Amino acid sequence: METRVAYAAVGAFVIALTAALIGLGLWLGADIETKRYTPYMFLTSESASGINPGTVVRYRGVEVGRVKQLHLDNPEQVRILLDIEEGTPIKTDTRASIATQGVTGLAFIELTGGTVSAPDLRPGPDGAPPLIPPAPSLLRRLDVAVSRNLENLDRIALQLQDLLNEENRAAFATLIRNLATLSETLAQERGRMSEVLANSERMTRAGAETLERLPETLVQLEGTLEEVRTAASTFRETSRTVGEVSRATQQEITAMRRGMEPGLDNLLRQVESATGVIEDLARRLRRDPAQLLRGAPAKEPGPGEQ
């Protein structure tokens, strides 16, 4: 009898505990069901490894939803459907990417960007979930950066290979030999270089002394320039006076020429008459040179003069 009572008590306790657990589960489930979600779509061309239904969606580090489903949209793209809590400010400039968490490397969907002034991201006309534009993930950016750096290294290696060809290597070897020869020559000419340096130092001191005397020289030069200006002014005055004298002299010469022109005309006529007589005498002498001794013959009397 006592055994049956114990079994009944145990059975009642188990039934009560089971009912309590079921009630707790229903209560917790009812609490979760109170949240409302808005579907959003996210397309990515990156690997979706580590993303599964139920994967966390974070917006600036805050959990705002989960991945509902994902499937391969085409050979180059993965379509991921997100359930995001209503009231989350998903804007038209919000971007989605695949990220990993810390050291554990757990993958999740990260939402970034979004400004207060940007409009909310709305569903399309057909009621399809809004499409959040993708952003390159950190791994993708690292991959692109590493690939670009590797390409740069390949180009640098090719350029170095072109630079270090046989001709350039021979030129470099010649250059090194010339540098060695130059070093030896400089070592041998050390004394002469010391003399050159000493001469340079003396020239520097002489230049410094010249610079010190430069203000005095400039003052003397200014005085000389002033004297030149004075001489130029005097020369201009003298030139002006000479011009005036020349004009007056020209006027006097003109007046003298006008007064002498009548006398000169008479003199010229007399000279012409004398020249005619001399020419006539020269002709007679050529015909009869004895006239110089006899004189001119007497003229024969004309008719009625005897």
Side-chain angles (χ1 to χ4, degrees), residues 41-42 44 46-55 67-73 77-82 98 109:
M41 192 65 66
F42 166 46
T44 180
E46 300 181 20
S47 173
S49 177
I51 303 298
N52 299 295
T55 299
V67 175
K68 185 175 183 180
Q69 63 180 15
L70 72 162
H71 62 274
L72 192 64
D73 195 39
Q77 202 169 55
V78 177
R79 183 180 296 270
I80 303 175
L81 183 63
L82 309 176
I98 298 175
I109 303 298

Side-chain angles (χ1 to χ4, degrees), residues 4-302:
R4 291 180 179 178
V5 172
Y7 286 152
V10 171
F13 175 75
V14 171
I15 292 172
L17 181 59
T18 302
L21 291 176
I22 293 173
L24 179 61
L26 292 175
W27 180 77
L28 293 175
D31 182 65
I32 294 174
E33 291 296 332
T34 57
K35 294 182 179 180
R36 300 177 63 86
Y37 295 90
T38 302
Y40 287 88
M41 192 65 66
F42 166 46
L43 300 177
T44 180
S45 59
E46 300 181 20
S47 173
S49 177
I51 303 298
N52 299 295
T55 299
V56 174
V57 178
R58 290 190 173 92
Y59 194 176
R60 297 188 182 277
V62 179
E63 184 176 335
V64 295
R66 294 186 177 270
V67 175
K68 185 175 183 180
Q69 63 180 15
L70 72 162
H71 62 274
L72 192 64
D73 195 39
N74 56 56
E76 298 179 352
Q77 202 169 55
V78 177
R79 183 180 296 270
I80 303 175
L81 183 63
L82 309 176
D83 274 342
I84 297 179
E85 297 177 6
E86 287 186 355
T88 303
I90 305 298
K91 304 290 185 175
T92 54
D93 53 355
T94 301
R95 298 292 182 266
S97 62
I98 298 175
T100 55
Q101 181 176 356
V103 182
T104 60
L106 295 177
F108 63 95
I109 303 298
E110 183 178 27
L111 303 180
T112 56
T115 56
V116 178
S117 58
D120 294 334
L121 189 62
R122 301 290 182 182
D126 55 354
L131 182 64
I132 301 176
S137 64
L138 176 61
L139 293 177
R140 176 64 177 173
R141 294 195 298 270
L142 289 175
D143 180 56
V144 171
V146 170
S147 300
R148 188 174 299 140
N149 290 332
L150 289 176
E151 292 176 358
N152 293 334
L153 288 175
D154 289 339
R155 284 197 298 270
I156 292 172
L158 292 175
Q159 293 173 357
L160 287 175
Q161 186 176 0
D162 293 337
L163 181 63
L164 298 177
N165 55 25
E166 292 294 335
E167 183 179 356
N168 290 338
R169 284 200 296 270
F172 286 145
T174 303
L175 177 61
I176 292 173
R177 287 194 298 271
N178 292 337
L179 288 175
T181 303
L182 178 62
S183 299
E184 293 177 0
T185 303
L186 291 176
Q188 294 173 0
E189 299 293 334
R190 186 179 303 170
R192 186 175 300 174
M193 289 183 64
S194 299
E195 183 179 355
V196 170
L197 291 175
N199 293 334
S200 300
E201 185 177 356
R202 285 195 295 272
M203 290 177 62
T204 303
R205 286 197 299 270
E209 294 175 356
T210 303
L211 289 176
E212 291 178 356
R213 292 194 299 270
L214 182 60
E216 181 180 355
T217 304
L218 291 176
V219 171
Q220 295 176 357
L221 181 60
E222 289 179 357
T224 304
L225 290 175
E226 187 63 30
E227 293 177 357
V228 170
R229 293 192 192 99
T230 304
S233 178
T234 304
F235 180 75
R236 284 196 296 270
E237 293 294 332
T238 304
S239 299
R240 189 180 302 109
T241 304
V242 170
E244 293 176 355
V245 171
S246 297
R247 286 192 293 271
T249 304
Q250 185 176 5
Q251 292 175 358
E252 293 178 358
I253 291 172
T254 302
M256 290 175 63
R257 186 180 62 186
R258 289 175 181 174
M260 293 174 63
E261 281 180 355
L264 289 174
D265 291 338
N266 294 329
L267 178 62
L268 289 174
R269 282 193 295 271
Q270 293 175 4
V271 169
E272 288 177 357
S273 178
T275 303
V277 172
I278 293 172
E279 288 178 353
D280 183 58
L281 177 61
R283 283 193 300 271
R284 288 199 303 267
L285 289 175
R286 280 196 297 271
R287 286 194 302 267
D288 187 8
Q291 290 183 6
L292 291 173
L293 300 174
R294 297 192 306 267
K299 292 183 179 181
E300 294 179 2

